[in-house]
Amino acid sequence: MELRNGILSVGWAEGMSVTEADAVAFIEHAEAICRSTRPPMLVELNEMVTLSSKALNHFAKELNIGALALVGPSPVDKTIADHFTVVHNPPYPSRYFPHRNEALTWLTACLTPV
């Protein structure tokens, strides 16, 4: 996880399954990096296998970000992103992109002037 040019970027390990404990640790790490800001976030799913419902709920309710771009080329990545957006209804704009460059263009437009 790194903050670069105002965008918080994350790349999950390929084929990972994310548990509730992983989500809580992830959110704590994001808060440590971005204590006083709500940056847009780029998440590369990297053909993730599963995310628990409790993990998705934590991301939707506790992640302090301005927007979320979920990136992944596989049909499973798109299914995970769509499920997250529809079922967990995050309070920030959230979109799926098959490619990183499209996601970065959208997130750059989401940056708020300081």
Side-chain angles (χ1 to χ4, degrees):
M1 183 179 303
E2 70 177 334
L3 183 63
R4 183 183 300 171
N5 299 322
I7 296 173
L8 190 59
S9 296
V10 178
W12 289 103
E14 187 174 331
M16 183 164 182
S17 292
V18 178
T19 66
E20 180 180 16
D22 295 326
V24 170
F26 178 95
I27 292 164
E28 288 172 357
H29 189 65
E31 287 177 0
I33 292 173
C34 307
R35 292 181 193 270
S36 61
T37 62
R38 292 182 60 229
M41 178 182 278
L42 172 78
V43 175
E44 295 188 72
L45 298 172
N46 291 327
E47 298 184 11
M48 183 174 286
V49 176
T50 60
L51 279 104
S52 75
S53 182
K54 289 182 179 182
L56 290 170
N57 194 52
H58 281 287
F59 290 139
K61 306 297 182 225
E62 300 169 23
L63 197 54
N64 189 24
I65 58 173
L68 176 65
L70 297 161
V71 178
S74 81
V76 173
D77 293 331
K78 181 169 182 356
T79 300
I80 288 171
D82 289 346
H83 176 81
F84 174 68
T85 302
V86 172
V87 173
H88 294 277
N89 193 26
Y92 42 80
S94 178
R95 286 186 57 190
Y96 165 79
F97 297 89
H99 304 288
R100 177 183 173 90
N101 288 343
E102 297 166 0
L104 285 171
T105 298
W106 181 71
L107 288 173
T108 300
C110 292
L111 286 169
T112 54
V114 180

